[in-house]
Amino acid sequence: MSEREDAVYEAASMYYLQDVTMEVIARRMGVSRSTVSRMIKEARSSGLVRVSIEPRGDGASSLSRHLHQRFGVRARVVPVRAGATDVQRLDQVARVAGRLITEWVQPGTVLGLAWGTTLSAVVEHLVPKHAPGSAVVQLNGAANPVTSGIPHAGSIITAAAEAFDASVHHFPVPAFFDYAGTKQAMWRERSIRSVLTVQARADMAVFGVGAFTGALASHVYAGGYMSEEDQQLLRAEGVVGDVCTVLLREDGSYADIELNARATGPTPAELARVARRVCVVAGNAKVPPLLGALRARVATDLIIDEGTARTLLDRARLPIPAVPGSGRGER
């Protein structure tokens, strides 16, 4: 370690482990209090120090308990001040998600990541941490008829891999193939199968939910991945959003949606093979697709802001709207 790193370690040890005040640390080390403050901040940002807060009371907040009872997920509900914008909600949730994911990634972990607005925010808040033998793999393709999609998705996957000194596995396929037969043929290619093999070994998957509407437009609907005509057709079929570009209805059904035969992301059934599945959500516009995702059992862990959690629980009490021609009604 360098002299600077030694000093940061010494200051952090006194401050966090010995409850020594910054003033006393400054006197002992012969530096100013502001220098000590900077070293403490550096210890946090570098990952040398990680701070966690245990849930109150019996191990979960009231909202967390209700979410667990209703959907069977381990929920982390992030307090956000009243009147916060969707951008502010997402930033607060992404901060918590970034630190939790950093804590959960260990040497040898295979981390599967989707891409999109939410995941981009989460990756910004990962704390650099050396996790030898770990890997980061992209879960769903990103190319589309308008752009390659590679810069957006690639930057997310690469940044996560750099945070953990992990190997990186990009998935060089479209978000949606034009034909289901093309997907089936590509899935037999050795280069694609090698990525699918890494996906199948994932210990943890992290993803958001995409929604048709909202202040923060979901990348799959705003980035040229499907036309407005396609979106209108999906709405008519009762589709409310997606997880890993696999489209869902609010009742959790997805298997009979034609476009899913051409989607390159893992289905809820395929995701279920991953031991820890972390869904990160902020904003009320995400509630209908999140309900669909939770009903399809895509997540073991949910990181969500308080306002969205309340809206989710309120909506979960309502009957599910009937989808014309689907044979499904209210329940």
Side-chain angles (χ1 to χ4, degrees):
M1 293 173 63
S2 67
E3 289 185 7
R4 173 67 180 180
E5 289 172 328
D6 286 340
V8 169
Y9 181 84
E10 183 181 355
S13 295
M14 285 191 283
Y15 186 75
Y16 286 106
L17 300 181
Q18 302 170 44
D19 291 326
V20 180
T21 65
M22 289 191 187
E23 288 79 4
V24 173
I25 295 171
R27 288 200 300 272
R28 288 184 185 178
M29 298 183 70
V31 297
S32 67
R33 187 188 183 286
S34 60
T35 297
V36 173
S37 177
R38 286 194 295 271
M39 287 193 288
I40 297 300
K41 183 177 180 181
E42 184 177 332
R44 289 280 302 276
S45 63
S46 69
L48 176 63
V49 171
R50 296 194 298 274
V51 177
S52 62
I53 299 176
E54 292 299 319
R56 295 173 298 171
D58 60 357
S61 69
S62 174
L63 282 173
S64 296
R65 286 197 304 274
H66 280 92
L67 289 168
H68 178 73
Q69 291 165 359
R70 182 67 177 81
F71 301 109
V73 293
R74 296 182 292 260
R76 275 76 175 179
V77 178
V78 181
V80 178
R81 65 174 176 80
T85 65
D86 279 357
V87 172
Q88 291 166 333
R89 285 198 210 184
L90 175 58
D91 182 66
Q92 292 301 309
V93 170
R95 284 177 186 273
V96 172
R99 294 194 175 275
L100 284 171
I101 292 162
T102 299
E103 180 180 332
W104 293 333
V105 169
Q106 299 298 322
T109 296
V110 177
L111 173 63
L113 287 185
W115 46 263
T117 305
T118 298
L119 266 292
S120 180
V122 170
V123 167
E124 287 183 5
H125 294 293
L126 295 175
V127 180
K129 170 183 179 178
H130 183 53
S134 60
V136 176
V137 61
Q138 182 177 333
L139 290 177
N140 49 320
N144 65 69
V146 177
T147 83
S148 70
I150 291 172
H152 174 74
S155 64
I156 292 171
I157 307 303
T158 299
E162 290 176 348
F164 302 126
D165 294 329
S167 61
V168 61
H169 302 268
H170 296 288
F171 197 26
V173 295
F176 301 98
F177 284 102
D178 289 334
Y179 305 98
T182 307
K183 172 184 171 180
Q184 294 165 9
M186 286 294 293
W187 260 223
R188 294 194 293 269
E189 290 291 323
R190 283 181 296 171
S191 60
I192 302 304
R193 289 192 63 80
S194 67
V195 182
L196 293 172
T197 298
V198 180
Q199 291 178 359
R201 290 172 33 225
D203 302 292
M204 176 165 54
V206 183
F207 47 86
V209 296
F212 282 127
T213 60
L216 290 175
S218 294
H219 203 79
V220 71
Y221 308 114
Y225 290 85
M226 58 181 66
S227 67
E228 181 57 36
E229 184 179 80
D230 289 334
Q231 293 185 46
Q232 289 176 357
L233 177 61
L234 292 173
R235 288 189 183 95
E237 292 183 336
V239 172
V240 291
D242 72 282
V243 171
C244 299
T245 58
V246 172
L247 301 156
L248 297 163
R249 298 187 182 92
E250 192 170 333
D251 66 1
S253 63
Y254 63 90
D256 63 333
I257 299 169
E258 186 274 336
L259 191 54
N260 283 341
R262 301 187 274 120
T264 56
T267 65
E270 290 166 336
L271 272 176
R273 300 168 190 163
V274 182
R276 172 163 248 154
R277 307 182 301 280
V278 185
C279 185
V280 184
V281 180
N284 291 341
K286 303 279 188 174
V287 166
L290 176 56
L291 259 180
L294 293 174
R295 284 167 171 155
R297 303 296 182 188
V298 300
T300 58
D301 294 80
L302 175 64
I303 305 172
I304 187 171
D305 70 275
E306 186 175 357
T308 304
R310 294 186 186 282
T311 303
L312 172 69
L313 287 168
D314 285 344
R315 190 175 181 98
R317 300 185 184 100
L318 299 175
I320 300 172
V323 179
S326 70
R328 283 184 300 276
E330 298 181 352
R331 68 179 184 192

